[in-house]
Amino acid sequence: METPTNMTIKGILGILMASIDEDKKRRLISLGMGDPTAFSCFTTTDIAQDAVVQTLQSRKFNGYSPTVGLPQTRKAISEYLSTSLPYKLSSDDVYITAGCTQAIEVAISILARPNANILVPKPGFPIYELCAAFRNVEIRHFNLLPDRGWEVDLDSVDALIDHNTVGIVIINPGNPCGNVYSYQHLKKIAETAKRHKILIVADEVYGHLAFGDNPFVPMGVFGSMVPVLTLGSLSKRWIVPGWRLGWFVTSDPKGIFKNTKNIERLKKYFDICGGPATFIQAAVPCILENTEEVFFTRTLGILKQSSDLCFKKIKEIPCLTCPQKPQGAMSVMVKLNVSLLKDISDDVEFCFKLAKEESVILLPGLTVGLKNWVRITFAAEPSSLEEALDRVKSFSERHSHQQKVHIELS
Amino acid sequence: MGTKEWKFRENRNLRTAATFSIKRVLDDVNRNLDRSDGRPIIPLSHGDPSSFSCFRTTQVAEDAVVDALRSAKFNGYAPKGGALQARRSIAEYLSRNLPYKLSPDDVYVTLGAKQAIEVVLSALSRPGANILLPRPGYPVYEAHAVLNHLEVRHFDLLQEKDWEVDLNGLETLVDDKTVAMVIINPGNPCGNVFTRDHLQKIAETARRMGILVIADEAYAHLTFGSNSYVSMGVFGNLAPVLTLGTLSKRWLVPGWRLGWIARSDPDGIFEEHGVVECIKRSLITNTEAATFIQAAVPQILENTTDDFFVQTINILQEDADMCYKWLKDIPCFTCLQKPQGSLFLMVKLDFSQLQGINDDMDFCSKLAKEESVLLLPGFVLGLKNWIRVTFAIEPSALEEGLARIKAFCMRHANKQ
């Protein structure tokens, strides 16, 4: 098997953690992963927790669910998603997956065929590359433009598409860049996809986590123009990534993708795979209907505060540049100016030395497709975030070219 | 200007893989049910007894999960391969039935045994490789083998020898591209339990052939006959073994989706041949069991008392005995073996005793229609014109179901 083991986020983070110098006795602060549950300010709502306890204790959900998911769960998610769409999804459009990761796996597997290729953003989320490798699907990377709010480089998209291209993946709100695309830009993407007759895989795992100028617009809004496969989960908005409750949805009101054959294929794929725990599925209707707005607002408030803080602190660090203030999701991409550093040659070395010397974990951009960039997850306790970035600052000062400054002054 | 065709097409592999699906076949059988029949449907076709109140999990398990959930400490991602405390407690639990100790590193937690199958088969996938599967068997193996481009070769289980593996036949199937053989013990669908001797012979054969053994032990400990459960891992020193297991059957919670892969390989052959790496890579793209359920595993494995296990076995034994007794007296059923374990038995249709029934699918369809009893036609398991009977339901419901089956067979008996 040719799959690269070292290129997963968890893999790299594991290696970075291992190089922490335990003698330093400093509190480890990880800004490496999109899992804010490590910080006590990020907890799920009691409504969600109680709902799951209730379904478990009812003893009615210890058996297998239908492989496409419990009907009440599918219905509840279809209603939840439809509130943001100009048409109504039916429960048949919704398939329950074990987290968004499995939804990605479904999307890649269902589109795979000999010689197929899928367009994936760079920087992006490496699970796409890994799933594609397992299913023998070729990956082609299109660029996101840092000086244009990380918008899709539609010219590069046009150049990459050929008759074997089956789809394009759009991650919005963006991981790793923290962008939230405007309605106009999403429309342009949809028009491009339509022109080339490929469908869109809309990774909306960070759906509704938008705290900047652009509101979150689901790609499904353009579902009548081009078929959209929407991927999502409870993980981010409800802060429960460990519950593994996600969905794969056909946002395709014209029925271009969801013809009888494709639906059969989807059902057959779900037949041979396992889905999430039945009692967690059973709690979803209650969770979606009863979670109060105040919970969502509170989370967004903390994220906005952290992202503002993160942006501000990065400006104080000369070797790091943040081209775009984060607008949503949980992380931001920051460019590393290696020429300002005296003994660090790239992002990987930067992150390793930082881990060792300062007990701070950042993710090398190489992992997500951009060498000499760094991904910083700002979804953390503001005080921890501040302390971590202070340590990054002192680290960079220690490793900067002092001499250059002197030469310029004299 | 003609409309250009949309570019997405079906994945042919998926189509082939999905022909191996019990669920599809059951859906087809179900379609024959007569909705105007006022009698309750008796399902003797499934693998999930948890819908019957006599098969209820232990309070210990339920409390363990509630505790983990309420602690709010397990809402984040678990490490790939599983939470350490879950892996450690599963290693200890499995080691109780082994002559050596498993370490937590030998254990990977999966989303149910189904995902364990997915992970192992995709880990073994390589160009031109083949895998040996039992016939009759469990079609999820065939499905994932196809999906992972593994050629499937079937070896027989010999009905006349208590469904033991046809080892001679198996040897003729092996070549230098064979990667593994799969055994299911206690057996699904046959209800057999391999003797220790037979397991040793399997291990010796695997060693001679240079292949690893995938031991599906989803029904571990669910034995009620003369053969007790012996773990294939006992012979891990002869041939490397990957044991697949789950909470689903012994704790009656298939909906919780908590399974595992255990490497029984005291000589470290797996590590040497890169299998461990492959499993880890396969785990990367796979999703995991819910973190809080993993966190509950130590409590579940350590604190469940014997009386819960004994109670389950007692009901299964009562069901198995009843089922055997009834079916024995029905002329159109032959080759009946008394089940020793699991939830199932296989029985062959004797068409000389029936009229107006074409095959196993026809038998099950007509039975569904006329008597609202569901059985599984054996063709989907590799044995056409056999039937798989699930006896693990409420004993009184089972009795009703068996009476209806008898009535059906009488009605369709060959009148000569």
Short mmCIF file of all heavy atoms in Angstrom, two decimals, chain B residues 274-299:
data_model
loop_
_atom_site.label_atom_id
_atom_site.label_comp_id
_atom_site.label_asym_id
_atom_site.label_seq_id
_atom_site.Cartn_x
_atom_site.Cartn_y
_atom_site.Cartn_z
N GLY B 274 5.00 -6.10 8.04
CA GLY B 274 4.35 -4.83 7.72
C GLY B 274 2.85 -4.81 7.88
O GLY B 274 2.20 -3.84 7.51
N VAL B 275 2.30 -5.89 8.45
CA VAL B 275 0.84 -5.93 8.58
C VAL B 275 0.36 -4.88 9.58
O VAL B 275 -0.67 -4.24 9.39
CB VAL B 275 0.35 -7.33 9.01
CG1 VAL B 275 -1.14 -7.32 9.28
CG2 VAL B 275 0.69 -8.35 7.94
N VAL B 276 1.15 -4.68 10.62
CA VAL B 276 0.77 -3.69 11.64
C VAL B 276 0.66 -2.31 11.02
O VAL B 276 -0.30 -1.57 11.24
CB VAL B 276 1.78 -3.68 12.81
CG1 VAL B 276 1.45 -2.58 13.79
CG2 VAL B 276 1.78 -5.03 13.51
N GLU B 277 1.67 -1.95 10.22
CA GLU B 277 1.65 -0.67 9.52
C GLU B 277 0.40 -0.54 8.67
O GLU B 277 -0.27 0.48 8.65
CB GLU B 277 2.87 -0.55 8.59
CG GLU B 277 3.99 0.26 9.15
CD GLU B 277 3.54 1.54 9.80
OE1 GLU B 277 3.06 2.45 9.09
OE2 GLU B 277 3.62 1.64 11.03
N CYS B 278 0.07 -1.60 7.94
CA CYS B 278 -1.08 -1.57 7.05
C CYS B 278 -2.38 -1.39 7.82
O CYS B 278 -3.27 -0.67 7.38
CB CYS B 278 -1.16 -2.87 6.25
SG CYS B 278 0.04 -2.91 4.92
N ILE B 279 -2.47 -2.04 8.99
CA ILE B 279 -3.68 -1.87 9.79
C ILE B 279 -3.78 -0.42 10.25
O ILE B 279 -4.85 0.19 10.18
CB ILE B 279 -3.68 -2.82 11.01
CG1 ILE B 279 -3.81 -4.27 10.52
CG2 ILE B 279 -4.82 -2.49 11.97
CD1 ILE B 279 -3.73 -5.29 11.64
N LYS B 280 -2.66 0.13 10.68
CA LYS B 280 -2.67 1.52 11.15
C LYS B 280 -3.09 2.47 10.04
O LYS B 280 -3.86 3.39 10.26
CB LYS B 280 -1.29 1.91 11.69
CG LYS B 280 -0.98 1.28 13.03
CD LYS B 280 0.32 1.81 13.61
CE LYS B 280 0.60 1.16 14.94
NZ LYS B 280 2.02 1.25 15.31
N ARG B 281 -2.57 2.22 8.83
CA ARG B 281 -2.94 3.09 7.71
C ARG B 281 -4.42 2.96 7.38
O ARG B 281 -5.08 3.94 7.07
CB ARG B 281 -2.14 2.72 6.47
CG ARG B 281 -0.70 3.11 6.56
CD ARG B 281 -0.01 2.84 5.26
NE ARG B 281 1.40 2.58 5.47
CZ ARG B 281 2.27 2.38 4.49
NH1 ARG B 281 1.86 2.39 3.24
NH2 ARG B 281 3.53 2.17 4.76
N SER B 282 -4.90 1.73 7.46
CA SER B 282 -6.31 1.50 7.18
C SER B 282 -7.18 2.20 8.22
O SER B 282 -8.27 2.70 7.90
CB SER B 282 -6.57 -0.01 7.17
OG SER B 282 -7.88 -0.27 6.80
N LEU B 283 -6.70 2.25 9.45
CA LEU B 283 -7.46 2.91 10.52
C LEU B 283 -7.54 4.42 10.31
O LEU B 283 -8.49 5.05 10.74
CB LEU B 283 -6.81 2.64 11.88
CG LEU B 283 -7.10 1.27 12.48
CD1 LEU B 283 -6.16 1.00 13.64
CD2 LEU B 283 -8.54 1.20 12.97
N ILE B 284 -6.55 4.96 9.63
CA ILE B 284 -6.48 6.42 9.47
C ILE B 284 -7.72 6.96 8.76
O ILE B 284 -8.30 7.95 9.17
CB ILE B 284 -5.22 6.83 8.69
CG1 ILE B 284 -4.00 6.68 9.59
CG2 ILE B 284 -5.33 8.26 8.21
CD1 ILE B 284 -2.70 6.83 8.85
N THR B 285 -8.12 6.33 7.67
CA THR B 285 -9.25 6.87 6.93
C THR B 285 -10.57 6.40 7.51
O THR B 285 -11.63 6.84 7.09
CB THR B 285 -9.22 6.45 5.46
OG1 THR B 285 -9.01 5.04 5.42
CG2 THR B 285 -8.12 7.14 4.71
N ASN B 286 -10.50 5.49 8.46
CA ASN B 286 -11.74 5.00 9.02
C ASN B 286 -12.15 5.79 10.23
O ASN B 286 -11.34 6.24 11.01
CB ASN B 286 -11.58 3.52 9.41
CG ASN B 286 -12.00 2.61 8.28
OD1 ASN B 286 -13.16 2.46 7.99
ND2 ASN B 286 -11.01 2.03 7.62
N THR B 287 -13.44 5.94 10.40
CA THR B 287 -13.93 6.66 11.57
C THR B 287 -13.89 5.72 12.78
O THR B 287 -13.56 4.56 12.66
CB THR B 287 -15.36 7.15 11.30
OG1 THR B 287 -15.78 7.92 12.40
CG2 THR B 287 -16.28 5.97 11.13
N GLU B 288 -14.20 6.23 13.96
CA GLU B 288 -14.03 5.42 15.17
C GLU B 288 -15.32 5.23 15.94
O GLU B 288 -16.32 5.88 15.68
CB GLU B 288 -13.03 6.07 16.12
CG GLU B 288 -11.75 6.53 15.50
CD GLU B 288 -11.83 7.98 15.01
OE1 GLU B 288 -12.93 8.52 14.80
OE2 GLU B 288 -10.75 8.57 14.84
N ALA B 289 -15.23 4.38 16.96
CA ALA B 289 -16.34 4.24 17.90
C ALA B 289 -16.41 5.51 18.74
O ALA B 289 -15.40 6.16 18.98
CB ALA B 289 -16.10 3.03 18.80
N ALA B 290 -17.62 5.84 19.18
CA ALA B 290 -17.81 7.06 19.98
C ALA B 290 -16.89 7.02 21.20
O ALA B 290 -16.75 5.98 21.86
CB ALA B 290 -19.27 7.16 20.43
N THR B 291 -16.24 8.15 21.48
CA THR B 291 -15.24 8.20 22.55
C THR B 291 -15.83 7.81 23.90
O THR B 291 -15.18 7.08 24.67
CB THR B 291 -14.63 9.62 22.64
OG1 THR B 291 -14.28 10.05 21.33
CG2 THR B 291 -13.40 9.62 23.52
N PHE B 292 -17.03 8.29 24.22
CA PHE B 292 -17.55 8.00 25.56
C PHE B 292 -17.94 6.53 25.71
O PHE B 292 -17.91 5.98 26.81
CB PHE B 292 -18.70 8.94 25.96
CG PHE B 292 -19.96 8.83 25.14
CD1 PHE B 292 -20.93 7.88 25.42
CD2 PHE B 292 -20.19 9.73 24.10
CE1 PHE B 292 -22.10 7.80 24.68
CE2 PHE B 292 -21.36 9.66 23.34
CZ PHE B 292 -22.32 8.69 23.64
N ILE B 293 -18.27 5.87 24.60
CA ILE B 293 -18.55 4.44 24.69
C ILE B 293 -17.24 3.69 24.92
O ILE B 293 -17.17 2.76 25.72
CB ILE B 293 -19.29 3.92 23.42
CG1 ILE B 293 -20.61 4.66 23.25
CG2 ILE B 293 -19.53 2.42 23.52
CD1 ILE B 293 -21.42 4.26 22.03
N GLN B 294 -16.17 4.14 24.24
CA GLN B 294 -14.85 3.54 24.49
C GLN B 294 -14.48 3.70 25.96
O GLN B 294 -13.95 2.78 26.58
CB GLN B 294 -13.78 4.22 23.64
CG GLN B 294 -13.93 4.00 22.14
CD GLN B 294 -12.71 4.48 21.38
OE1 GLN B 294 -11.58 4.24 21.81
NE2 GLN B 294 -12.92 5.13 20.25
N ALA B 295 -14.77 4.88 26.51
CA ALA B 295 -14.39 5.16 27.89
C ALA B 295 -15.13 4.26 28.87
O ALA B 295 -14.67 4.02 29.99
CB ALA B 295 -14.67 6.62 28.22
N ALA B 296 -16.29 3.75 28.46
CA ALA B 296 -17.08 2.90 29.35
C ALA B 296 -16.62 1.45 29.32
O ALA B 296 -16.99 0.65 30.18
CB ALA B 296 -18.56 2.98 28.95
N VAL B 297 -15.81 1.09 28.32
CA VAL B 297 -15.43 -0.31 28.14
C VAL B 297 -14.77 -0.95 29.36
O VAL B 297 -15.14 -2.06 29.74
CB VAL B 297 -14.56 -0.48 26.86
CG1 VAL B 297 -13.91 -1.85 26.81
CG2 VAL B 297 -15.40 -0.25 25.61
N PRO B 298 -13.81 -0.29 30.02
CA PRO B 298 -13.20 -0.95 31.18
C PRO B 298 -14.23 -1.38 32.22
O PRO B 298 -14.22 -2.52 32.67
CB PRO B 298 -12.27 0.13 31.75
CG PRO B 298 -11.92 0.96 30.57
CD PRO B 298 -13.14 0.98 29.72
N GLN B 299 -15.15 -0.46 32.55
CA GLN B 299 -16.17 -0.80 33.53
C GLN B 299 -17.03 -1.97 33.06
O GLN B 299 -17.37 -2.87 33.84
CB GLN B 299 -17.09 0.41 33.74
CG GLN B 299 -17.11 0.93 35.16
CD GLN B 299 -18.05 2.13 35.29
OE1 GLN B 299 -17.78 3.20 34.75
NE2 GLN B 299 -19.15 1.93 35.97
#
